[in-house]
């Protein structure tokens, strides 16, 4: 493409200057940034300055959050205006809270994450999405003056368990609030933007596929980093490196000799890093699969190869927590040390400062000293089983370039700001809880999106390790495809229903639900199905004309032929039928044959030609009927589920319908408004029936834990665990009986019901609330410290709700239980 001429350059400069004059706040904000803003960032900021909402969909690490930060900047420019910044995870909220404090000062920034409440009345408040949803339903005074809401990682809307919260917030935010939706690259961003435009008003959709740091893709074969794509073929063709294709199918004696000679001639890769193999373990020939397995480098060798090639820091994605921890131990045993004495001293000082509030006896249980030694070597793991305090330390050290290699599960790809120079994928499949499945192109993009640090790296690197059966074409397809659709997971809950009825009444509540993204997508599908039905009906008319016979009723004749064929087929297949049944079928076959032979159309010379059109007509007619049923099922789907939810609430007297049709909440319904979670109905009904009034604080903590806990698939079923003695057991039995009754009621109303109560963690939580030692509690729980902390915090969240809505007796016990659970590693907070 030729360079623009002087006239074109002048025109572009003039337009940019005009845009800057029209958007002075954007221009001033852009000048203050560390990097020159990209076009999509400028476009997002200008749209906000013009008073519109925006949806920004861009790759991981592209800098989407700049647009959200500009919205906060606009709010802070106007006295009295507020901005909320929502994230899907507490770790993300904590990180953003610290970043915004550094810009605006501690007095201007608050944090609300359910278990943390810091300066909640500030002009800028960072919070989890659930907190904002609860504020909207409670009509919190903190909403006064709210002008902007930033929804970071809005693609979480597709999450099966929590996604509905995003839609609730988007639907219920006051229309005066401008929404900044930040999403990973999704293939249907325009569709999502159309919905936002429908429910929020003027919304600009800004999509960028451009990574700020280009990504180089490699396959690691033994000690060689081979490019995945052949650059000589041109970027547009994205042709797979033929060397990899030959390696996959090569049947000769050795691949390595040829590659070594080539490396010796070139001396280095075109990227400037050495192609020398690590010497540990010596060289082994690389052969085709049918000759001998291609040997893989051990992890210490891979780390040293990346270190020598100046490709650190690196994140190795391993789809197993045990695998991550084992990888760290393997590198440790290999004697790898990636840090200088000065870096080791700095690491130790940071770790000791961040963990000083944790008791020494707990640190010993958590393997602190070995973990610290690994950190001083520059190596760490990162997964959900790790204690949150330890995870935060790993994140901080990695961001400071002190930890050089992190072995992580895919949860690290979800939003935390931890970019690396290189991302290594050891396998392209993972266990999804039931089977090993290939990762999707969306997952591949999310994982490799961590590679390349803006302002530091000229390019990022994705390294795929060669495994038996690896198909370079499939890897290339993963790397080049962008098929990550955003699909709604919205469904009405009991809590949502009572809040909507309380705010809007039942008719308006149905309308609100019909404005959800779930119904928007269903309606769009209906439009497409309806178009298909119209087109097929036109074809049906043509088929009907083509099978018209001047001898008589050919559709009736074709129906007799189909009936005969069906009975004959059934008679052949069903060899086990009784003699009477077979005789009856034979009589039916004889009767149908006589009717066919007597039919006027049977003698038509064009009979078989008409019959072929009749078969096409019948097949298409069935397709049309299926499409019509789909249309009926999709139209008003969300509102129909809402009606079933309201019917259950009516049966249990949470809502009542007056003679004039108006639906109102009972006292129990008003309590339900402030109970959030998967078991909202069971909790509300247990409180109403007084099932928990005799529980002491540890027993209530154990029961709350049983209600929130979701066991692993391989864990023992209900009733197979040790249970706390005392008042816990009768209260649990009563709650389980109630669950069964509610489940039956839901099934009767064609609702899916819920899982049985899981008691696997109840004994451990009871011990913890009674002050038990960490080592004994984790032994009883048989789980990692990070998992125990996560379930403890969900238990605290439910206890907090009980302290607000339960009877005075249970509320007092809940507050005591909450205090007893929130101690030690559970109470740790870095903010």
């Amino acid at each position: 493409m030729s360079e623009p001429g002087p006239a074109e350059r002048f025109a572009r400069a003039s337009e940019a200057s005009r845009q800057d004059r029209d958007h002075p706040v954007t221009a001033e904000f852009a000048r203050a940034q560390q990097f020159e803003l990209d076009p999509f960032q400028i476009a997002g900021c200008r749209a906000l300055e013009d008073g519109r909402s925006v949806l920004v969909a861009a790759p991981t690490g592209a800098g989407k959050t700049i647009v959200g930060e500009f919205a906060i900047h606009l709010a802070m420019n106007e006295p009295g205006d507020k901005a909320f910044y929502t994230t899907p995870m507490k770790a993300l909220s904590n990180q953003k809270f610290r970043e915004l404090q550094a810009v605006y000062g501690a007095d201007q920034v608050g944090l609300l994450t359910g278990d943390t409440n810091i300066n909640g009345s500030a002009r800028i408040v960072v919070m989890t999405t659930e907190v904002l949803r609860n504020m909207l339903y409670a009509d919190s005074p903190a909403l006064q003056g709210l002008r902007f809401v930033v929804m970071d990682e809005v693609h979480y809307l597709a999450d099966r368990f929590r996604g509905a919260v995003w839609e609730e917030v988007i639907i219920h935010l006051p229309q005066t609030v401008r929404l900044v939706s930040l999403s990973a690259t999704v293939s249907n961003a325009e569709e999502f933007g159309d919905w936002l435009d429908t429910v929020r008003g003027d919304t600009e959709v800004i999509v960028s596929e451009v990574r700020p740091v280009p990504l180089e893709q490699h396959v690691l074969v033994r000690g060689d980093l081979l490019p995945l794509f052949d650059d000589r073929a041109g970027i547009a063709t994205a042709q797979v490196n033929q060397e990899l294709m030959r390696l996959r199918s090569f049947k000769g004696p050795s691949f390595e000799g040829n590659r070594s000679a080539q490396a010796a001639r070139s001396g280095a890769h075109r990227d400037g890093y050495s192609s020398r193999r690590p010497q540990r373990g010596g060289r082994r020939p690389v052969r085709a699969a049918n000759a001998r397995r291609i040997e893989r480098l051990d992890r210490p060798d891979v780390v040293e190869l990346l270190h020598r090639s100046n490709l650190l820091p690196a994140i190795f994605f391993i789809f197993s927590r045990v695998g991550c921890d084992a990888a760290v131990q393997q590198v440790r045993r290999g004697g790898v040390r990636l840090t200088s004495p000065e870096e080791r001293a700095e690491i130790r000082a940071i770790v000791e400062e961040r963990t000083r509030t944790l008791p020494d006896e707990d640190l010993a249980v958590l393997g602190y000293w070995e973990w610290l030694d690994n950190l001083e070597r520059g190596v760490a793991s990162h997964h959900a089983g790790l204690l949150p305090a330890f995870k935060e330390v790993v994140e901080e050290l990695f961001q400071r370039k002190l930890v050089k290699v992190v072995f992580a599960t895919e949860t690290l790809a979800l939003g935390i700001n931890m970019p690396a120079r290189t991302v290594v994928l050891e396998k392209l499949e993972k266990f999804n809880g039931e089977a090993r499945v290939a990762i999707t192109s969306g997952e591949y993009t999310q994982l490799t999106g961590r590679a390349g640090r803006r302002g530091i790296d000229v390019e990022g690197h994705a390294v795929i390790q060669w495994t038996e059966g690896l198909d370079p074409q499939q890897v290339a397809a993963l790397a080049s495809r962008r098929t990550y659709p955003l699909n709604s997971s919205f469904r009405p809950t009991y809590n949502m229903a009572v809040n909507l009825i309380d705010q809007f009444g039942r008719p308006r509540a149905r309308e609100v639900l019909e404005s959800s993204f779930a119904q928007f997508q269903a309606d769009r599908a209906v439009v497409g199905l309806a178009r298909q039905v119209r087109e097929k009906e036109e074809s049906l008319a043509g088929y009907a004309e083509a099978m018209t016979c001047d001898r008589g009723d050919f559709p009736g004749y074709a129906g007799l032929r189909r009936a005969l064929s069906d009975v004959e087929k059934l008679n052949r297949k069903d060899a086990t039928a009784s003699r009477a049944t077979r005789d009856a079928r034979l009589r039916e076959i004889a009767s149908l044959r006589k009717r066919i032979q007597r039919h006027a159309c049977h003698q038509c010379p064009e009979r078989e030609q008409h019959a072929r059109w009749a078969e096409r007509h019948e097949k298409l007619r069935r397709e049309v009927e299926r499409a019509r049923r789909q249309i009926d099922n999709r139209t008003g789907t969300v509102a129909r589920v809402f009606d079933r939810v309201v019917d259950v609430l009516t049966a249990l007297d949470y809502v009542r319908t007056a003679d004039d049709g108006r639906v109102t909440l009972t006292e129990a319904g008003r309590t339900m408004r402030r109970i959030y979670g998967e078991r909202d109905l069971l909790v509300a009904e247990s409180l109403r029936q007084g099932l928990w009034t005799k529980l002491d604080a540890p027993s209530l903590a154990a029961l709350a834990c049983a209600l929130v806990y979701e066991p692993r698939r391989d864990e023992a079923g209900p009733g197979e665990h040790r249970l706390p003695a005392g008042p816990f057991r009768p209260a649990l039995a009563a709650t389980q009986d109630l669950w069964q009754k509610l489940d039956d009621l839901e099934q009767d109303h064609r609702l899916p019901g819920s899982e049985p109560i899981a008691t696997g963690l109840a004994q451990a939580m009871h011990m913890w609330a009674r002050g038990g030692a960490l080592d004994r509690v984790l032994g009883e729980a048989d789980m990692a410290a990070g998992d125990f902390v996560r379930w403890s915090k969900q238990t605290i969240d439910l206890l907090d709700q009980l302290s607000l809505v339960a009877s005075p007796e249970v509320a007092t016990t809940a507050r005591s239980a909450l205090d007893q659970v929130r101690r030690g590693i559970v109470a740790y907070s870095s903010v």
Side-chain angles (χ1 to χ4, degrees), residues 741-773:
K741 291 174 185 173
L742 294 178
D743 194 64
D744 291 343
L745 182 63
E746 288 176 315
Q747 300 285 350
D748 291 343
H749 286 84
R750 292 180 294 157
L751 290 169
S754 58
E755 293 295 319
I757 297 169
T759 57
L761 196 54
Q763 175 70 13
M765 189 59 66
H766 191 269
M767 288 172 59
W768 180 253
R770 287 171 53 213

Side-chain angles (χ1 to χ4, degrees), residues 691-697 699-701 703 727-729 731-732 813:
L691 302 186
W692 304 339
T693 54
K694 295 181 180 178
L695 291 174
D696 56 19
S699 298
L700 184 57
L703 190 54
F728 174 84
R729 295 185 186 184
L732 172 66
T813 307

Side-chain angles (χ1 to χ4, degrees), residues 154-219:
V154 77
H155 49 273
Y156 260 77
L157 181 142
D159 183 81
R160 185 162 61 96
F161 298 106
R162 299 173 57 211
V165 176
W166 274 255
E167 289 191 51
E168 289 179 79
V169 168
I170 291 168
I171 291 168
H172 294 306
L173 273 174
Q175 288 297 318
T176 54
V177 176
R178 276 169 277 172
L179 191 65
V180 184
S181 304
L182 307 177
S183 170
T185 306
V186 292
S187 51
N188 60 334
E190 287 77 11
E191 178 189 42
F192 184 52
D194 287 347
W195 174 68
L196 288 172
D197 197 65
T198 301
V199 295
R200 301 296 317 161
D202 194 3
T203 300
E204 182 153 336
V205 179
I206 298 163
V207 178
S208 174
E209 293 270 3
V210 179
R211 283 176 49 96
V213 181
L215 183 66
E216 291 289 321
Q217 319 243 16
H218 315 272
V219 178

Side-chain angles (χ1 to χ4, degrees), residues 585-638:
R585 285 179 188 154
L586 289 172
R587 286 193 297 272
E588 186 179 1
I589 288 171
S591 172
L592 285 167
R593 283 176 176 166
K594 282 182 182 179
R595 292 174 64 189
I596 288 171
Q597 288 168 356
R598 292 172 182 168
H599 199 285
C601 292
H602 191 64
Q603 305 304 322
C604 176
E606 296 179 342
R607 181 187 67 199
E608 293 309 313
Q609 184 179 344
H610 292 329
R612 284 193 292 274
W613 285 110
E615 288 307 309
R616 292 176 190 172
H617 184 279
E618 177 61 17
K619 182 180 178 182
L620 192 60
R621 185 191 67 77
R622 289 175 180 172
E623 289 178 10
V624 168
E625 286 303 312
R626 273 199 302 272
R628 283 180 176 147
R629 284 196 297 273
Q630 283 181 288
I631 289 172
D632 290 341
N633 289 336
R634 292 187 179 192
T635 305
T637 48
V638 177

Side-chain angles (χ1 to χ4, degrees), residues 118-362:
I118 301 173
N119 200 16
S121 59
R123 292 181 61 193
I124 305 167
V125 185
V126 183
M127 61 186 70
T128 51
T129 317
E130 281 84 353
V131 169
L132 178 54
R133 185 271 311 272
N134 299 353
M135 290 171 69
L136 288 166
Y137 280 153
D139 196 21
S140 169
L143 297 169
Q144 292 179 6
L146 182 61
R147 292 293 173 265
F148 294 94
V149 166
V150 181
M151 301 195 78
D152 203 354
E153 309 285 338
V154 77
H155 49 273
Y156 260 77
L157 181 142
D159 183 81
R160 185 162 61 96
F161 298 106
R162 299 173 57 211
V165 176
W166 274 255
E167 289 191 51
E168 289 179 79
V169 168
I170 291 168
I171 291 168
H172 294 306
L173 273 174
Q175 288 297 318
T176 54
V177 176
R178 276 169 277 172
L179 191 65
V180 184
S181 304
L182 307 177
S183 170
T185 306
V186 292
S187 51
N188 60 334
E190 287 77 11
E191 178 189 42
F192 184 52
D194 287 347
W195 174 68
L196 288 172
D197 197 65
T198 301
V199 295
R200 301 296 317 161
D202 194 3
T203 300
E204 182 153 336
V205 179
I206 298 163
V207 178
S208 174
E209 293 270 3
V210 179
R211 283 176 49 96
V213 181
L215 183 66
E216 291 289 321
Q217 319 243 16
H218 315 272
V219 178
L220 175 60
V221 183
R222 189 56 184 147
D224 278 307
L225 284 168
L226 303 182
L228 175 59
F229 295 107
D230 186 351
D231 287 352
R232 292 169 297 181
I235 294 174
T237 60
Q239 183 178 330
V240 177
N241 185 348
Q242 291 306 298
E243 206 164 352
L244 290 171
M245 299 304 295
R246 283 194 296 274
L247 172 60
R248 184 168 185 260
S249 59
F250 186 52
K251 298 181 181 179
S254 172
F255 166 77
E256 175 143 343
N258 177 51
R259 176 66 190 163
S260 297
Q262 178 184 328
R265 285 194 300 271
S266 64
H269 287 286
R270 58 180 173 75
D271 296 318
Y273 55 83
S274 167
S275 64
R276 291 176 298 157
R277 294 175 181 78
Q279 296 306 305
R280 179 187 302 273
R283 294 186 182 184
R284 297 175 191 172
V286 179
R287 295 176 185 268
N290 64 343
R292 186 146 66 93
R293 283 187 76 248
I294 296 172
E295 297 290 340
R296 284 166 60 98
L297 283 183
D298 290 336
R299 287 189 180 112
D301 297 328
V302 178
V303 170
E304 288 185 351
L305 171 66
L306 297 177
H307 185 40
R308 287 198 311 274
S309 302
N310 195 28
L311 291 179
L312 298 182
I315 298 172
F316 286 66
F317 281 110
I318 300 174
F319 303 114
S320 142
R321 301 178 186 184
V322 172
C324 290
D325 292 336
V328 172
Q329 294 307 315
Q330 191 179 356
V331 172
R332 174 193 177 93
R333 287 194 303 270
V336 172
R337 191 178 290 279
L338 305 169
T339 54
S340 66
E342 295 77 19
E343 288 174 324
R344 290 195 286 277
E346 188 176 353
I347 288 169
R348 180 175 287 269
I350 291 171
V351 172
E352 289 176 349
E353 168 63 24
R354 297 291 181 270
T355 59
R356 71 182 190 282
T357 59
L358 297 175
D360 287 345
E361 58 271 21
D362 287 357

